[in-house]
Every structure is written in structure tokens, then in C-alpha cells.
Amino acid sequence: MPPNKYYDTEALWRQDLDHFIHPWTDFSTFKEEGSLVIAESEGSYVLDSEGKKYIDGIGGLWCVNIGYANQEMADAIAEQVRRIAYYSTFNHITTPPAAELAAKLAELAPDTLRHIFYGTGGSMANDTAIRIAHYYFNRLGKPNKKKIISRVDGYHGSTYLAMTLTGVEFDHQGFDLAPDLVHYIPAPNPYRRPQNITMDEFCHEKVMDLENKILELGPDNVACFIAEPIMGAGGVIVPPPGYHKKTRDVCSKYDVLYISDEVVTGFGRLGHFFSSKSVFDFTPDIITCAKGISSGYIPLSATILSEAIYDVISVPQTEGGMFTHGFTYSGHPVSCAAGLKNIEIMEREDICGHVRDVGPYLENQLSTLLEHPIVGDVRGSHFMMCIENVADTETKALLPEEAEIGTRIANHCQARGLIVRPIAHLNVLSPPLIMTRSEIDTMVAVLHESIRATQDDLSREGMWKRV
Ligand SMILES: Cc1ncc(COP(=O)(O)O)c(C=O)c1O
């Protein structure tokens, strides 16, 4: 563990408060409390600027898959910076890491998904997927196929278009969306499914939601369906068995492209490099990925296209016509070097195997939290988990919003040296994929204590009564 560097916490806190606009800021508390300064890291741990150590239960933000402060990764990045830190990949120029990583991703991705477009984040990967889906249908002489079907509680990013794809109502507050482009169908959330229907019936209903929406919009107007294999920020919603395979079939029936957003589920979180095929047994037309592709060391994303799409879009539109899409940092050599090293480490250390081995242990240990009367559901898969907190586990009624249940639990955890993510009434866990059984035990013990402490607070404040 690196030594405490004795940062000037007070000065950093002030500079941050005065000048840094954070993503997803609650200004009502930010202006009083400011930010926790995270300054150092190792393995599954981070340290704040005062030297206090935390188990990082969220892997940064679902992304530090190989763990923190990996020396080999640091060396690979430094080495690439020394060789060539940047060159444009416009106009038929490449760099060794960009070319090698594209070939490696093509090898790892399922079936004919072999053509890679690079970006620097998940939102950009999804924007790219949509632009290309539209371009593809334009090239096929089907310019009306423009509408996109997404899902309530799906999260796809925060650029203008990616936020329009996002179906989390809370995230739309006060901002605008691209009008008329995106249409939402309900989330396949088994915990909130109507009583007295089987999982199979529920699955059928959710698949029909997609088919009915395509028919309502008119198949000739629908370009694509975008879905996360397991919804992440929308509440770690694991769909009923067969859902993805069946929605894939519906897409194929109506010539609608299936975009699988693997920004979280990719790169080992579910025990495989890509989960669409390996876990859910279907092949999308496009896979988008980011986060774990470089374990968050350097920003990188990829939009991976099927051969069929590539064949259509790789023909000049007119004599001299170009494919006019791209970013200054598409195929950034340092990002790609980090991506290559990340895959090398994951393969050599069999990190996917570790997740397949230890993931069920994490699921089991977390399920012991169900003994607490405010824990309604513990769900997820492998290293992608969530706790749903409720007022009453029978009725599944929620606590009042002002209880800020997710944040309270997260604060109790933080005081005890564990970082978990609050999302409304949920607490999300997405640890580094190298986390050991004993670290999991510590994490779960802290969660037990923190949930008990939260229940005591709520009772004392009259916001909740033990039933
Ligand atoms: C499933 C999914 N897609 C896309 C994104 C957007 O990625 P980024 O924040 O890198 O733009 C996220 C971010 O959390 C995500 O969870």
C-alpha cells in the first residue's frame, strides 16, 4: 500500500468545491459537504487524502476490473507515451496498438462481430452505434428506418443522444431529449413483476412489449433496439431467462438491429469478455463497450459491428464519398495500449475464471443481507450486484424519499471503510474483479453493520417501523 502523501486536503476540497462541476451533483448537499478526496489506491482498495483506506465495492464506477495500481499496466502506458503518445487515425493512418487491439477485440467478440470503431467512453460508443445504424439503413435505401427502441430504466450515457436512449426518468429532469427519436418499453424487472404470473409468462409479456412497439411504430420506421444484457444503473435488473434470445428473434423478424450495450457487462464482470453470447446465448448486430475494456486506466470505448453491417457501410457512397464519422481520439495509441495490456493481464491471470469461481460466493454472501427487514431484494450476477431497500418486504413499498435510504447506507459503509454506490433506494456493488473471498467477507460484514445502523437511525427518526 502506498504511504499517505499528506495531501493538503483542505485546499483540494476548496478548489474542487469552487470550480469542479461533478457529474450527477446534488447541489443541496455538495455546497455544504463538498467532495471526498480519493488520492491513492492498490488492488481492491482506495485511500483518501488523509490516508483512510476503503474497500472499493464499486470498482471506481463499474470499471477498474484488474484492480488498482497495477504496475504492469502503468509500465505499458508509460512505454506507449514514450514511443508515441498521440497520432490521428484519420486519413488511413494507424498505430501499432490501435491495429493490434482491433484484431484482438475481433477475436474475443462473438460470431461475425469483427469490425471496431473506437471512442473514449460508453456514451460515445452508443452515439456511434446509432449514427452507424442510421447510416446503414440509409445506404440500404431505407431512410425511414430511424426510430430507436430503448427500455425504461436502461442507462446508455449522458451525451445528448445517449441520454435520450437512457430510460431513467430521474436522469432526464430539467434537461431536454432529442424529440421523437427514441421510444421506451418497460423494463423486464422480475422483482416488480405482477403477482401470480410465472417467470415464463412475464418473459413472454416483456418480449411482446418489444414486438408490439415495433408494430405500433411500423417496422419500416424502426432502426434498432438497444439493451444492456443486465441493466446496470437502472437497478441491476437481470431479465427473465430467454428474454434476450427472444427479443433478438423479434428484431431479426422485423429487420431491426440489436445493439447490446456491454459497457458494464463486458470485460469480465459476468465472467466472460462479452456476455451477450457467452451468458445470454444471443448474437447482437452491434456491441458497445467501454469501462472495463481498459479497466478505467485510460478512457477507451469500442463499437463493434457485424460483418453484415460492415459490408454495407464500407462501400463508398459516391465516387470519392467518405464515411464521415470519427473523433480526434478514435484509436488513441495510449488508450489502445492500455486496452491490450488489460486483456493480456485478464487472460494470463484468468480473471474471467476468477469471477466465475468467486462470483457465486459474492452472490451467496450478499444474499445473507435479506435477513434485515429493510432489504427487499438482493440481485445481480457475479460481480454486478444490487441491494433493493424497502419499507416493507411483503408489499415491497418504498421508504419515503426523504429517508434517502441508499445514501444513508452508503454513508454508514463509508464511515466503516467501504464504498458502495447509492442509487435512489438501491445500493449497487461492482467490485474490482480481483476481489478475494476474504475481502468479500469484510465487505459483507460492513454492509450488515451499516444496514443495522441505518435501521436504528430510521426508527429513531420515526421514518420506519420494524414490522
Ligand atoms: C450500460 C452503460 N452504457 C453506457 C454508459 C455511459 O458510459 P460513459 O459514462 O463512459 O459515457 C454507462 C455508464 O455508466 C453504462 O453503465
Side-chain angles (χ1 to χ4, degrees), residues 4-10 36-39 47-54:
N4 178 8
K5 295 268 176 45
Y6 299 108
Y7 296 91
D8 185 347
T9 303
E10 184 68 31
L36 172 71
V37 183
I38 295 290
L47 280 85
D48 68 22
S49 51
E50 298 289 290
K52 179 172 170 178
K53 186 174 157 185
Y54 306 83

Side-chain angles (χ1 to χ4, degrees), residues 1 40-47 53-60 64-69 354 383 417-419 431-437 439-440 443:
M1 188 65 62
E40 305 265 346
S41 62
E42 187 173 62
S44 298
Y45 295 87
V46 293
L47 280 85
K53 186 174 157 185
Y54 306 83
I55 298 189
D56 185 15
I58 60 172
V64 185
N65 291 7
I66 61 164
Y68 291 94
H354 174 76
F383 275 53
L418 167 67
I419 297 181
L433 306 185
I434 53 162
M435 189 168 273
T436 62
R437 281 183 165 79
E439 288 166 346
I440 287 171
M443 187 165 80

